[in-house]
Amino acid sequence: GFNISFDRKKIIYINSGEFASVFATIVQVFEPRFYDACSDCNTKASIDGSNYICKQHGVIKPKKVPILNIYLDDGTENTRAVSFGDVAYSVLGVDEKTFGEQESFDKLKNKLLGKQMIFNGKVNRNTMFESNEIILNSVEEIDPKQMAEELL
């Protein structure tokens, strides 16, 4: 991994282009969509006839990679957060193998709604929605003791 420092911010103060860390509650979860990606580099594959092509690796056997959209709220504002691949799985609290096996998406969704976590990512301006969104880089479970200290 590479080291990026995420500035802890309130959602109302995040700006496009910066790396931010927000402590927020998941208030909405959308069913993940999947795309076909190269299993080596996770780049979206293009389709040529019956072959899947990776720009870097040529003809590949693709894997399904999830795109997960959620809405976060921290009391100051809400924002959409987008995650891909492993980050999406860690938001959902499952891994690639267990996703879709053990429980329905509705059950997962109900577990996530109201969950508080720390969300780290790059803030982007979504021109279609005229609002900021966070492209998630990682999520962290909350350590209640640490949180209490930060609140004091």
Side-chain angles (χ1 to χ4, degrees), residues 101-122:
E101 273 178 22
Q102 34 163 217
E103 43 198 344
S104 68
F105 175 69
D106 281 343
K107 275 217 186 95
L108 271 181
K109 181 177 168 172
N110 290 336
K111 256 202 257 183
L112 288 178
L113 289 174
K115 183 171 186 177
Q116 294 186 314
M117 296 174 90
I118 295 168
F119 299 87
N120 303 313
K122 184 166 189 198

PDB file of all heavy atoms in Angstrom, residues 101-122:
ATOM      1  N   GLU A 101     -23.667 -15.908  -0.443  1.00  0.00           N
ATOM      2  CA  GLU A 101     -23.872 -17.283   0.000  1.00  0.00           C
ATOM      3  C   GLU A 101     -24.745 -17.300   1.236  1.00  0.00           C
ATOM      4  O   GLU A 101     -25.801 -17.889   1.267  1.00  0.00           O
ATOM      5  CB  GLU A 101     -22.536 -17.941   0.378  1.00  0.00           C
ATOM      6  CG  GLU A 101     -21.818 -18.572  -0.784  1.00  0.00           C
ATOM      7  CD  GLU A 101     -20.483 -19.146  -0.339  1.00  0.00           C
ATOM      8  OE1 GLU A 101     -20.300 -19.421   0.867  1.00  0.00           O
ATOM      9  OE2 GLU A 101     -19.610 -19.310  -1.201  1.00  0.00           O
ATOM     10  N   GLN A 102     -24.257 -16.605   2.274  1.00  0.00           N
ATOM     11  CA  GLN A 102     -24.859 -16.789   3.586  1.00  0.00           C
ATOM     12  C   GLN A 102     -26.179 -16.065   3.761  1.00  0.00           C
ATOM     13  O   GLN A 102     -27.071 -16.567   4.405  1.00  0.00           O
ATOM     14  CB  GLN A 102     -23.866 -16.344   4.654  1.00  0.00           C
ATOM     15  CG  GLN A 102     -23.077 -15.212   4.136  1.00  0.00           C
ATOM     16  CD  GLN A 102     -22.337 -14.373   5.133  1.00  0.00           C
ATOM     17  OE1 GLN A 102     -22.278 -13.217   4.932  1.00  0.00           O
ATOM     18  NE2 GLN A 102     -21.773 -14.891   6.184  1.00  0.00           N
ATOM     19  N   GLU A 103     -26.299 -14.841   3.225  1.00  0.00           N
ATOM     20  CA  GLU A 103     -27.558 -14.141   3.492  1.00  0.00           C
ATOM     21  C   GLU A 103     -27.949 -13.256   2.332  1.00  0.00           C
ATOM     22  O   GLU A 103     -27.128 -12.861   1.521  1.00  0.00           O
ATOM     23  CB  GLU A 103     -27.446 -13.325   4.781  1.00  0.00           C
ATOM     24  CG  GLU A 103     -26.146 -12.582   4.920  1.00  0.00           C
ATOM     25  CD  GLU A 103     -25.882 -12.157   6.358  1.00  0.00           C
ATOM     26  OE1 GLU A 103     -26.824 -12.174   7.161  1.00  0.00           O
ATOM     27  OE2 GLU A 103     -24.750 -11.802   6.651  1.00  0.00           O
ATOM     28  N   SER A 104     -29.198 -12.944   2.288  1.00  0.00           N
ATOM     29  CA  SER A 104     -29.697 -12.114   1.212  1.00  0.00           C
ATOM     30  C   SER A 104     -29.146 -10.700   1.357  1.00  0.00           C
ATOM     31  O   SER A 104     -28.740 -10.276   2.441  1.00  0.00           O
ATOM     32  CB  SER A 104     -31.220 -12.063   1.272  1.00  0.00           C
ATOM     33  OG  SER A 104     -31.615 -11.347   2.420  1.00  0.00           O
ATOM     34  N   PHE A 105     -29.183  -9.970   0.264  1.00  0.00           N
ATOM     35  CA  PHE A 105     -28.713  -8.592   0.312  1.00  0.00           C
ATOM     36  C   PHE A 105     -29.547  -7.774   1.292  1.00  0.00           C
ATOM     37  O   PHE A 105     -29.027  -6.924   2.005  1.00  0.00           O
ATOM     38  CB  PHE A 105     -28.734  -7.957  -1.081  1.00  0.00           C
ATOM     39  CG  PHE A 105     -28.366  -6.510  -1.035  1.00  0.00           C
ATOM     40  CD1 PHE A 105     -27.066  -6.128  -0.728  1.00  0.00           C
ATOM     41  CD2 PHE A 105     -29.313  -5.534  -1.249  1.00  0.00           C
ATOM     42  CE1 PHE A 105     -26.720  -4.792  -0.635  1.00  0.00           C
ATOM     43  CE2 PHE A 105     -28.966  -4.189  -1.162  1.00  0.00           C
ATOM     44  CZ  PHE A 105     -27.673  -3.816  -0.857  1.00  0.00           C
ATOM     45  N   ASP A 106     -30.851  -8.051   1.364  1.00  0.00           N
ATOM     46  CA  ASP A 106     -31.709  -7.303   2.288  1.00  0.00           C
ATOM     47  C   ASP A 106     -31.250  -7.445   3.733  1.00  0.00           C
ATOM     48  O   ASP A 106     -31.267  -6.488   4.500  1.00  0.00           O
ATOM     49  CB  ASP A 106     -33.165  -7.769   2.183  1.00  0.00           C
ATOM     50  CG  ASP A 106     -33.842  -7.163   0.961  1.00  0.00           C
ATOM     51  OD1 ASP A 106     -33.304  -6.175   0.414  1.00  0.00           O
ATOM     52  OD2 ASP A 106     -34.895  -7.673   0.552  1.00  0.00           O
ATOM     53  N   LYS A 107     -30.835  -8.684   4.095  1.00  0.00           N
ATOM     54  CA  LYS A 107     -30.338  -8.899   5.456  1.00  0.00           C
ATOM     55  C   LYS A 107     -29.065  -8.090   5.692  1.00  0.00           C
ATOM     56  O   LYS A 107     -28.906  -7.458   6.731  1.00  0.00           O
ATOM     57  CB  LYS A 107     -30.027 -10.385   5.680  1.00  0.00           C
ATOM     58  CG  LYS A 107     -31.220 -11.204   6.098  1.00  0.00           C
ATOM     59  CD  LYS A 107     -30.780 -12.272   7.121  1.00  0.00           C
ATOM     60  CE  LYS A 107     -31.899 -13.218   7.457  1.00  0.00           C
ATOM     61  NZ  LYS A 107     -31.858 -14.450   6.645  1.00  0.00           N
ATOM     62  N   LEU A 108     -28.156  -8.138   4.718  1.00  0.00           N
ATOM     63  CA  LEU A 108     -26.911  -7.375   4.822  1.00  0.00           C
ATOM     64  C   LEU A 108     -27.214  -5.894   4.969  1.00  0.00           C
ATOM     65  O   LEU A 108     -26.646  -5.199   5.805  1.00  0.00           O
ATOM     66  CB  LEU A 108     -26.070  -7.543   3.547  1.00  0.00           C
ATOM     67  CG  LEU A 108     -25.083  -8.686   3.462  1.00  0.00           C
ATOM     68  CD1 LEU A 108     -24.358  -8.633   2.127  1.00  0.00           C
ATOM     69  CD2 LEU A 108     -24.084  -8.628   4.611  1.00  0.00           C
ATOM     70  N   LYS A 109     -28.123  -5.430   4.119  1.00  0.00           N
ATOM     71  CA  LYS A 109     -28.494  -4.015   4.108  1.00  0.00           C
ATOM     72  C   LYS A 109     -29.022  -3.589   5.474  1.00  0.00           C
ATOM     73  O   LYS A 109     -28.642  -2.546   6.010  1.00  0.00           O
ATOM     74  CB  LYS A 109     -29.553  -3.813   3.024  1.00  0.00           C
ATOM     75  CG  LYS A 109     -30.033  -2.407   2.860  1.00  0.00           C
ATOM     76  CD  LYS A 109     -31.008  -2.352   1.702  1.00  0.00           C
ATOM     77  CE  LYS A 109     -31.739  -1.041   1.689  1.00  0.00           C
ATOM     78  NZ  LYS A 109     -32.541  -0.886   0.468  1.00  0.00           N
ATOM     79  N   ASN A 110     -29.893  -4.434   6.054  1.00  0.00           N
ATOM     80  CA  ASN A 110     -30.451  -4.093   7.359  1.00  0.00           C
ATOM     81  C   ASN A 110     -29.395  -4.044   8.456  1.00  0.00           C
ATOM     82  O   ASN A 110     -29.506  -3.273   9.397  1.00  0.00           O
ATOM     83  CB  ASN A 110     -31.569  -5.076   7.742  1.00  0.00           C
ATOM     84  CG  ASN A 110     -32.790  -4.863   6.865  1.00  0.00           C
ATOM     85  OD1 ASN A 110     -33.000  -3.774   6.317  1.00  0.00           O
ATOM     86  ND2 ASN A 110     -33.597  -5.893   6.711  1.00  0.00           N
ATOM     87  N   LYS A 111     -28.360  -4.887   8.301  1.00  0.00           N
ATOM     88  CA  LYS A 111     -27.257  -4.862   9.271  1.00  0.00           C
ATOM     89  C   LYS A 111     -26.461  -3.571   9.139  1.00  0.00           C
ATOM     90  O   LYS A 111     -25.931  -3.052  10.113  1.00  0.00           O
ATOM     91  CB  LYS A 111     -26.314  -6.039   9.011  1.00  0.00           C
ATOM     92  CG  LYS A 111     -26.473  -7.164  10.015  1.00  0.00           C
ATOM     93  CD  LYS A 111     -25.216  -8.022  10.066  1.00  0.00           C
ATOM     94  CE  LYS A 111     -25.447  -9.300   9.314  1.00  0.00           C
ATOM     95  NZ  LYS A 111     -24.386 -10.265   9.308  1.00  0.00           N
ATOM     96  N   LEU A 112     -26.362  -3.077   7.896  1.00  0.00           N
ATOM     97  CA  LEU A 112     -25.532  -1.901   7.641  1.00  0.00           C
ATOM     98  C   LEU A 112     -26.211  -0.594   8.001  1.00  0.00           C
ATOM     99  O   LEU A 112     -25.555   0.346   8.422  1.00  0.00           O
ATOM    100  CB  LEU A 112     -25.151  -1.849   6.158  1.00  0.00           C
ATOM    101  CG  LEU A 112     -24.134  -2.882   5.706  1.00  0.00           C
ATOM    102  CD1 LEU A 112     -23.895  -2.751   4.214  1.00  0.00           C
ATOM    103  CD2 LEU A 112     -22.831  -2.714   6.460  1.00  0.00           C
ATOM    104  N   LEU A 113     -27.522  -0.524   7.805  1.00  0.00           N
ATOM    105  CA  LEU A 113     -28.217   0.737   8.066  1.00  0.00           C
ATOM    106  C   LEU A 113     -28.046   1.137   9.526  1.00  0.00           C
ATOM    107  O   LEU A 113     -28.270   0.333  10.421  1.00  0.00           O
ATOM    108  CB  LEU A 113     -29.696   0.620   7.698  1.00  0.00           C
ATOM    109  CG  LEU A 113     -29.963   0.533   6.198  1.00  0.00           C
ATOM    110  CD1 LEU A 113     -31.437   0.262   5.923  1.00  0.00           C
ATOM    111  CD2 LEU A 113     -29.515   1.804   5.479  1.00  0.00           C
ATOM    112  N   GLY A 114     -27.593   2.355   9.748  1.00  0.00           N
ATOM    113  CA  GLY A 114     -27.380   2.828  11.113  1.00  0.00           C
ATOM    114  C   GLY A 114     -26.013   2.496  11.665  1.00  0.00           C
ATOM    115  O   GLY A 114     -25.664   2.904  12.775  1.00  0.00           O
ATOM    116  N   LYS A 115     -25.215   1.745  10.902  1.00  0.00           N
ATOM    117  CA  LYS A 115     -23.872   1.396  11.376  1.00  0.00           C
ATOM    118  C   LYS A 115     -22.942   2.596  11.258  1.00  0.00           C
ATOM    119  O   LYS A 115     -22.944   3.310  10.260  1.00  0.00           O
ATOM    120  CB  LYS A 115     -23.325   0.226  10.548  1.00  0.00           C
ATOM    121  CG  LYS A 115     -21.972  -0.235  11.039  1.00  0.00           C
ATOM    122  CD  LYS A 115     -21.524  -1.523  10.383  1.00  0.00           C
ATOM    123  CE  LYS A 115     -20.227  -1.959  11.066  1.00  0.00           C
ATOM    124  NZ  LYS A 115     -19.720  -3.214  10.596  1.00  0.00           N
ATOM    125  N   GLN A 116     -22.144   2.802  12.290  1.00  0.00           N
ATOM    126  CA  GLN A 116     -21.179   3.903  12.281  1.00  0.00           C
ATOM    127  C   GLN A 116     -19.790   3.361  12.054  1.00  0.00           C
ATOM    128  O   GLN A 116     -19.390   2.391  12.683  1.00  0.00           O
ATOM    129  CB  GLN A 116     -21.223   4.654  13.605  1.00  0.00           C
ATOM    130  CG  GLN A 116     -22.529   5.367  13.820  1.00  0.00           C
ATOM    131  CD  GLN A 116     -22.490   6.226  15.072  1.00  0.00           C
ATOM    132  OE1 GLN A 116     -22.031   5.793  16.119  1.00  0.00           O
ATOM    133  NE2 GLN A 116     -22.971   7.447  14.948  1.00  0.00           N
ATOM    134  N   MET A 117     -19.059   3.998  11.138  1.00  0.00           N
ATOM    135  CA  MET A 117     -17.696   3.590  10.836  1.00  0.00           C
ATOM    136  C   MET A 117     -16.898   4.836  10.466  1.00  0.00           C
ATOM    137  O   MET A 117     -17.458   5.916  10.312  1.00  0.00           O
ATOM    138  CB  MET A 117     -17.660   2.617   9.650  1.00  0.00           C
ATOM    139  CG  MET A 117     -18.358   1.291   9.871  1.00  0.00           C
ATOM    140  SD  MET A 117     -18.387   0.306   8.332  1.00  0.00           S
ATOM    141  CE  MET A 117     -16.865  -0.609   8.502  1.00  0.00           C
ATOM    142  N   ILE A 118     -15.613   4.627  10.296  1.00  0.00           N
ATOM    143  CA  ILE A 118     -14.773   5.693   9.757  1.00  0.00           C
ATOM    144  C   ILE A 118     -14.539   5.360   8.289  1.00  0.00           C
ATOM    145  O   ILE A 118     -14.138   4.243   7.960  1.00  0.00           O
ATOM    146  CB  ILE A 118     -13.451   5.796  10.529  1.00  0.00           C
ATOM    147  CG1 ILE A 118     -13.736   6.211  11.974  1.00  0.00           C
ATOM    148  CG2 ILE A 118     -12.502   6.791   9.855  1.00  0.00           C
ATOM    149  CD1 ILE A 118     -12.559   6.073  12.906  1.00  0.00           C
ATOM    150  N   PHE A 119     -14.835   6.318   7.431  1.00  0.00           N
ATOM    151  CA  PHE A 119     -14.735   6.116   5.991  1.00  0.00           C
ATOM    152  C   PHE A 119     -13.620   7.001   5.444  1.00  0.00           C
ATOM    153  O   PHE A 119     -13.644   8.218   5.645  1.00  0.00           O
ATOM    154  CB  PHE A 119     -16.063   6.489   5.317  1.00  0.00           C
ATOM    155  CG  PHE A 119     -17.211   5.642   5.786  1.00  0.00           C
ATOM    156  CD1 PHE A 119     -17.944   5.997   6.909  1.00  0.00           C
ATOM    157  CD2 PHE A 119     -17.553   4.473   5.118  1.00  0.00           C
ATOM    158  CE1 PHE A 119     -18.999   5.212   7.364  1.00  0.00           C
ATOM    159  CE2 PHE A 119     -18.605   3.680   5.560  1.00  0.00           C
ATOM    160  CZ  PHE A 119     -19.328   4.048   6.680  1.00  0.00           C
ATOM    161  N   ASN A 120     -12.633   6.388   4.793  1.00  0.00           N
ATOM    162  CA  ASN A 120     -11.501   7.136   4.249  1.00  0.00           C
ATOM    163  C   ASN A 120     -11.546   7.091   2.732  1.00  0.00           C
ATOM    164  O   ASN A 120     -11.737   6.018   2.149  1.00  0.00           O
ATOM    165  CB  ASN A 120     -10.176   6.504   4.694  1.00  0.00           C
ATOM    166  CG  ASN A 120     -10.072   6.427   6.205  1.00  0.00           C
ATOM    167  OD1 ASN A 120     -10.350   7.381   6.909  1.00  0.00           O
ATOM    168  ND2 ASN A 120      -9.683   5.260   6.706  1.00  0.00           N
ATOM    169  N   GLY A 121     -11.333   8.231   2.091  1.00  0.00           N
ATOM    170  CA  GLY A 121     -11.328   8.190   0.638  1.00  0.00           C
ATOM    171  C   GLY A 121     -11.048   9.531   0.013  1.00  0.00           C
ATOM    172  O   GLY A 121     -10.797  10.521   0.694  1.00  0.00           O
ATOM    173  N   LYS A 122     -11.097   9.526  -1.312  1.00  0.00           N
ATOM    174  CA  LYS A 122     -10.851  10.747  -2.069  1.00  0.00           C
ATOM    175  C   LYS A 122     -12.186  11.383  -2.418  1.00  0.00           C
ATOM    176  O   LYS A 122     -13.094  10.715  -2.895  1.00  0.00           O
ATOM    177  CB  LYS A 122     -10.079  10.430  -3.346  1.00  0.00           C
ATOM    178  CG  LYS A 122      -9.741  11.700  -4.101  1.00  0.00           C
ATOM    179  CD  LYS A 122      -8.711  11.506  -5.165  1.00  0.00           C
ATOM    180  CE  LYS A 122      -8.325  12.893  -5.672  1.00  0.00           C
ATOM    181  NZ  LYS A 122      -7.683  12.853  -6.936  1.00  0.00           N
TER     182      LYS A 122
END
